[in-house]
Amino acid sequence: MRLLKRDDDGNISPTRWFDKDSDVPKYAILSHRWGTDEVVLKDIQDGTAKGKAGYHKIQFCADQALRDGLRHFWVDTCCIDRSSSAELQESINCMFRWYGQAAKCYAFLADVPSKSFCGSEWFTRGWTLQELIAPKEVDFFSLKGDRLGNKSSLEHDIHLATRIPVAALRGSRLSDFDISERMAWIDRRETTRPEDKAYALFGIIGTCIPILYGEGRENAFERLHDMIASKGRKERQQDEQTKICLADLMLTDPRDDLRRIADTKGGLFHGASNWILGHNDFCQWRDKDARLLWIKGDPGKGKTMLLIAIVEHLQQATASALSYFFCQGTNGSLNNAAAVLRGLIYLLCIQQPFLASHLRARYDHAGTKLFDDANKFYALSKVLENMMRDDRLQIAYLVVDALDECVADKDQLLRFIAEHAVISPRIKWIVSSRNIPEIEKLLRGNTFESSGSHKVKLSLEIAENAGQVRQAVEAFIDHKLSDLDSLQYNHETQGRVRDIMLKKANGTFLWVALVVKELVYTSSWELEAVMEEMPEGLEELYDQIRKQVQKLGRGRPELCRLVLSAVTLAYRPLHLAELAVVSGLPAHIFRGPSNERKVEEVVTLCGSFLSVKDRLVYLIHQSVKDYLSGRAAGAIFPSGPNQAHHAMFVQSADTMSTGLRRNIYRLPSPGVSVKEVRTPEPDPLASLRYPCVHWASHFFDAISESNDPDWTKVSHFIRKSFLHWLEAVALLRNITDSIISLRRLETALNSEQIVDLVKDAVRFALHNRHAIENAPL
């Protein structure tokens, strides 16, 4: 673009043509009605401009811009060389953007005050439509240069004069309005040249056509409609491709995780969580320059619920982009740095669709390998980096819970967060974790809370915050006890139970939640005694729950041990049908029409360690997994975890050998595309999904110095079920992980008996991969 510049002596001259937006200085821009004797570029260049009637508008714009601290300004009549068709075309194409990027926009209403504000002809002209919509703000002036107000203060009058929705005047995205609605905004407006009525819509509808003066209004609109239709087809195609890309990206929807986690913990109780919203450290992060807030505390202190409360607050309080992810150490798919990035990128693309272009730039080249290969963290971090640098992203809040539960590439993730908390001013991070020195070291970089630091640390154990947590736990206890039927009409007992609970809880929400579960079936006269017997501390409480399970009798403790062993070692939450298979439960429990109900009954016997949501079995907390695989490992894995992994491998292999078969989904022909496959009901793979994907991982985890690999079982499985297994994993859309498992088998071989067999299996899978994953049968 070309600008006008006012020098120190008040002289006005044109600048050179700026080719890049980054080279353009801050400028004001004029919106006006053309009259007679307008000043054009040649008049400015040859010094004859002051003799023209239209010069007073140029002088007004220059003077007002100077009052606003701007020496550069733009006026269409004298900043465009209309003798150059190329420059005229480019200027008309860019006009909407130029108005949108101006530091100030002045609407000069030459017929006010002789006419009323709403009666000004400025509201009837075609080009002034985009000059009203494009800028964030417009200041209106009368003929004498008196300020009448701005787009915000006069929005009601402007709406009455134009019938343009207030939301559009306030800067809502134009894509929120149908094309037909936007085109209707110009219906009551006129232009001097008939074709300009179509050309003036370029910025409003987001497309343009070559300008052909003389073609007439009808032809111009016909060509514009054709361009809109063509653009619409391309956009729909792009949208469909983006949907496929996002479907491949999504491991989990963090919004569903948030609801499930909150529901599993009994719902978000604001009385125990909202204190964080008024905390000085949070307010410093939200309202000031701090860009990273790290909330740290011991297990069960309510960190996850604090972050859920923060997410809900930000959703209600801001229209800015908000993305979040909950690391889950009990789920192998969601406990790694790449999964964190995938979740953050997914929500950003859902909320701000324009950001998907940065993902598509890599996905269109690499396909699903972008999410699966050895460099996936680095590729995805570059995608997120480019999103954060996008000028269209005003500000974004990124929330990551339970960094301590991120296993793979945790250090790289921490460095990435720490670095961008410093160099990305429009990105604000909140993270949480346990009190782990390595996390603090990597997040810190420079010290937290130093002078001018962008990083703030909020420890739940320091005296000030421990008091807040204690009050929150007290409110949580009152909330939980109010739901106990046995205490509804016994306020005296409720008060004593409450005091004992508050004393023993030690500021730990999880302890309270578990104890209340134990009290649900306790008679009112026993409550105090039961509470007195309750141990302090989470691990001591877990000891008591485990001992209660061991007292069940009739073989039930062994059933519970099998279930707890499998759930603890599983790489993701198990479906009830899958749990029955991999845990090694007796056949009479999981066979028959009510098999899942029977398995759920066994899960219930395991006390408060487990919960069932949508037929998936979860450990209630990461601390339970730590306890079962640590302090209680001798009871849960009497022969050691390696042997337990071996049992899960054997049970998986045996079940697949007997359960898999050719054309398990009864597809009508071998060439049916995987995209056309619909899961039948009942699903014959329901109990086999986990074994199909994870049998090899349990095989490798079973290997120890004292435990030789069970190559005989591997050989039997490959010889009998290899093709059926490939069909199944393709139906499950998991061919990549399965081929990786085969490659691991190949590198681990030490049995000459099956070297050729495994190598042949790998060659077959790699050579036919494209066919297998696209047409499984």
Side-chain angles (χ1 to χ4, degrees):
M1 70 185 305
R2 182 186 291 108
L3 294 171
L4 299 178
K5 181 179 179 181
R6 175 180 183 150
D7 63 22
D8 293 336
D9 297 325
N11 298 315
I12 297 171
S13 59
T15 66
R16 64 180 175 85
W17 181 271
F18 296 104
D19 290 312
K20 298 179 181 178
D21 285 350
S22 57
D23 295 335
V24 178
K26 287 186 176 181
Y27 61 93
I29 199 163
L30 184 68
S31 173
H32 65 109
R33 259 211 75 199
W34 280 31
T36 56
D37 207 20
E38 289 286 352
V39 176
V40 296
L41 176 62
K42 185 175 181 299
D43 301 325
I44 297 289
Q45 291 171 329
D46 63 19
T48 60
K50 292 183 179 179
K52 288 199 161 187
Y55 186 75
H56 72 287
K57 290 187 289 188
I58 312 301
Q59 189 65 57
F60 156 78
C61 190
D63 293 343
Q64 186 59 44
L66 189 63
R67 283 191 285 271
D68 288 327
L70 301 168
R71 288 190 174 274
H72 293 85
F73 59 101
W74 187 92
V75 184
D76 57 349
T77 54
C78 45
C79 288
I80 302 173
D81 182 1
R82 293 179 178 273
S83 65
S84 167
S85 59
E87 183 174 330
L88 180 60
Q89 174 78 61
E90 181 174 355
S91 298
I92 289 177
N93 291 349
C94 296
M95 198 89 70
F96 189 84
R97 177 162 54 86
W98 291 347
Y99 272 91
Q101 293 175 348
K104 286 287 184 178
C105 178
Y106 311 131
F108 186 79
L109 277 52
D111 52 359
V112 176
S114 60
K115 289 186 177 182
S116 67
F117 174 75
C118 290
S120 172
E121 290 187 0
W122 187 89
F123 293 109
T124 69
R125 308 307 297 170
W127 286 107
T128 56
L129 172 62
Q130 63 173 333
E131 295 160 16
L132 171 66
I133 297 294
K136 293 179 181 177
E137 198 54 87
V138 179
D139 293 321
F140 291 88
F141 294 88
S142 70
L143 174 64
K144 295 182 178 180
D146 297 325
R147 190 175 183 278
L148 305 172
N150 59 27
K151 188 161 65 168
S152 298
S153 64
L154 297 168
E155 73 174 19
H156 178 68
D157 292 333
I158 297 171
H159 170 66
L160 292 178
T162 63
R163 299 300 177 189
I164 295 172
V166 170
L169 298 175
R170 291 178 178 176
S172 290
R173 293 178 304 180
L174 289 174
S175 57
D176 293 342
F177 306 92
D178 291 339
I179 290 282
S180 57
E181 181 180 5
R182 282 178 266 164
M183 294 187 74
W185 296 344
I186 208 169
D187 284 350
R188 298 191 298 168
R189 295 170 178 263
E190 293 299 329
T191 54
T192 303
R193 305 190 72 166
E195 300 86 357
D196 277 341
K197 191 164 183 177
Y199 304 159
L201 283 167
F202 285 0
I204 301 291
I205 60 176
T207 193
C208 58
I209 55 176
I211 56 174
L212 298 174
Y213 282 117
E215 67 174 324
R217 180 177 298 177
E218 289 186 8
N219 287 337
F221 269 103
E222 185 176 346
R223 287 196 300 122
L224 189 58
H225 279 294
D226 289 343
M227 181 61 73
I228 292 170
S230 174
K231 182 184 178 186
R233 286 191 295 271
K234 290 179 181 177
E235 287 178 347
R236 285 191 294 273
Q237 184 179 12
Q238 285 291 320
D239 288 346
E240 193 59 37
Q241 292 170 346
T242 298
K243 286 180 182 177
I244 294 171
C245 173
L246 292 179
D248 288 337
L249 169 72
M250 190 189 78
L251 276 174
T252 184
D253 189 327
R255 296 169 296 185
D256 294 336
D257 287 336
L258 183 149
R259 288 189 288 268
R260 175 182 55 77
I261 292 169
D263 187 54
T264 302
K265 295 176 182 290
L268 178 63
F269 176 52
H270 294 283
S273 303
N274 277 11
W275 66 268
I276 191 69
L277 304 179
H279 194 283
N280 182 61
D281 290 341
F282 174 75
C283 294
Q284 181 183 346
W285 172 86
R286 182 190 59 197
D287 303 327
K288 297 181 181 178
D289 292 334
R291 297 178 198 153
L292 171 62
L293 173 61
W294 175 35
I295 300 175
K296 70 188 193 87
D298 291 336
K301 293 292 185 180
K303 300 183 293 296
T304 295
M305 298 309 278
L306 289 180
L307 263 61
I308 290 176
I310 289 171
V311 166
E312 286 196 358
H313 167 74
L314 293 174
Q315 285 174 331
Q316 296 168 5
T318 179
S320 301
L322 168 64
S323 188
Y324 48 88
F325 188 84
F326 296 88
C327 294
Q328 295 165 60
T330 55
N331 188 334
S333 298
L334 307 179
N335 68 352
N336 58 85
V340 175
L341 297 184
R342 288 173 76 164
L344 294 176
I345 291 169
Y346 176 77
L347 274 192
L348 284 174
C349 290
I350 294 295
Q351 293 180 21
Q352 307 282 344
F354 62 84
L355 292 175
S357 61
H358 301 289
L359 176 64
R360 288 285 307 278
R362 284 188 170 252
Y363 176 83
D364 290 350
H365 175 71
T368 56
K369 290 181 180 178
L370 175 65
F371 314 129
D372 297 326
D373 70 11
N375 297 314
K376 57 190 174 185
F377 173 80
Y378 299 98
L380 290 167
S381 64
K382 194 65 181 177
V383 171
L384 183 55
E385 220 170 74
N386 291 336
M387 288 179 168
M388 293 190 293
R389 290 174 177 166
D390 193 308
D391 291 336
R392 295 169 292 179
L393 185 66
Q394 297 301 312
I395 189 169
Y397 300 103
L398 303 182
V399 181
V400 183
D401 180 51
L403 283 170
D404 52 284
E405 297 184 35
C406 177
V407 179
D409 296 326
K410 176 168 60 184
D411 289 0
Q412 289 93 318
L413 176 63
L414 291 169
R415 291 190 187 97
F416 178 85
I417 293 172
E419 176 187 352
H420 286 280
V422 176
I423 66 174
S424 301
R426 292 176 298 177
I427 309 300
K428 285 180 173 276
W429 295 84
I430 288 186
V431 299
S432 75
S433 77
R434 298 185 187 184
N435 296 302
I436 298 177
E438 290 78 9
I439 290 180
E440 177 160 6
K441 180 181 178 181
L442 289 167
L443 277 181
R444 184 174 63 233
N446 299 313
T447 57
F448 276 92
E449 298 158 337
S450 61
S451 177
S453 173
H454 295 303
K455 304 173 184 178
V456 179
K457 175 176 61 179
L458 194 163
S459 172
L460 298 178
E461 273 73 39
I462 65 171
E464 174 195 351
N465 297 328
Q468 291 274 24
V469 173
R470 180 181 172 83
Q471 291 178 20
V473 169
E474 189 172 353
F476 185 63
I477 290 172
D478 292 338
H479 172 64
K480 286 295 186 181
L481 292 182
S482 66
D483 289 337
L484 281 180
D485 292 337
S486 55
L487 289 175
Q488 288 298 311
Y489 306 104
N490 196 334
H491 300 297
E492 187 176 338
T493 302
Q494 181 174 339
R496 289 196 291 269
V497 170
R498 175 186 182 277
D499 291 341
I500 299 171
M501 191 173 287
L502 182 60
K503 181 181 178 181
K504 292 188 173 185
N506 194 28
T508 304
F509 289 93
L510 181 57
W511 187 93
V512 174
L514 291 173
V515 168
V516 170
K517 279 188 177 182
E518 297 294 313
L519 298 181
V520 168
Y521 301 107
T522 303
S523 301
S524 59
W525 63 85
E526 298 178 304
L527 286 172
E528 284 185 67
V530 170
M531 278 305 308
E532 291 289 0
E533 294 172 1
M534 284 290 176
E536 297 183 28
L538 272 179
E539 290 206 333
E540 291 75 15
L541 181 60
Y542 292 156
D543 281 338
Q544 179 163 311
I545 295 172
R546 181 174 58 81
K547 289 174 184 176
Q548 289 173 350
V549 172
Q550 290 174 332
K551 294 177 182 178
L552 291 173
R554 294 185 183 177
R556 293 176 179 179
E558 178 59 16
L559 298 180
C560 291
R561 188 195 67 77
L562 291 172
V563 166
L564 290 173
S565 171
V567 174
T568 302
L569 296 181
Y571 305 109
R572 64 161 173 79
L574 294 167
H575 189 281
L576 288 167
E578 297 169 334
L579 176 59
V581 168
V582 299
S583 65
L585 286 174
H588 69 272
I589 289 180
F590 63 85
R591 285 180 183 165
S594 57
N595 58 339
E596 289 184 11
R597 182 181 58 79
K598 294 175 184 177
V599 177
E600 189 168 3
E601 288 176 5
V602 178
V603 171
T604 304
L605 293 175
C606 296
S608 301
F609 289 134
L610 306 178
S611 67
V612 180
K613 179 73 174 175
D614 297 329
R615 298 192 291 180
L616 287 172
V617 183
Y618 298 89
L619 290 165
I620 60 158
H621 196 266
Q622 176 65 27
S623 61
V624 172
K625 182 171 183 175
D626 297 341
Y627 169 78
L628 294 175
S629 56
R631 181 165 170 157
I636 303 300
F637 314 112
S639 301
N642 297 100
Q643 196 60 41
H645 276 295
H646 179 263
M648 294 178 75
F649 155 66
V650 170
Q651 282 140 203
S652 296
D654 288 347
T655 304
M656 289 188 294
S657 294
T658 57
L660 294 177
R661 61 180 183 274
R662 184 180 184 278
N663 197 9
I664 196 166
Y665 274 6
R666 298 186 180 278
L667 303 179
S669 66
V672 173
S673 167
V674 70
K675 296 177 182 179
E676 302 172 34
V677 174
R678 297 293 177 266
T679 304
E681 185 62 40
D683 182 5
L685 289 176
S687 62
L688 299 171
R689 288 173 176 264
Y690 183 87
C692 282
V693 176
H694 295 290
W695 67 269
S697 296
H698 287 293
F699 172 78
F700 291 116
D701 284 339
I703 299 173
S704 67
E705 293 180 4
S706 59
N707 184 19
D708 292 329
D710 192 349
W711 290 113
T712 302
K713 181 65 68 174
V714 173
S715 173
H716 179 266
F717 170 69
I718 293 179
R719 291 179 188 280
K720 180 177 181 182
S721 305
F722 180 65
L723 294 179
H724 300 161
W725 172 68
L726 282 181
E727 177 192 330
V729 293
L731 289 168
L732 297 174
R733 277 72 163 179
N734 217 292
I735 196 72
T736 298
D737 288 343
S738 301
I739 290 179
I740 291 173
S741 297
L742 289 175
R743 298 300 296 268
R744 286 187 68 190
L745 281 177
E746 187 178 25
T747 58
L749 281 171
N750 62 3
S751 172
E752 295 182 4
Q753 310 172 37
I754 66 166
V755 169
D756 292 340
L757 178 67
V758 173
K759 288 183 178 293
D760 197 40
V762 171
R763 279 197 301 270
F764 180 87
L766 289 174
H767 183 73
N768 297 286
R769 172 178 178 161
H770 181 75
I772 296 168
E773 65 184 346
N774 286 285
L777 183 56

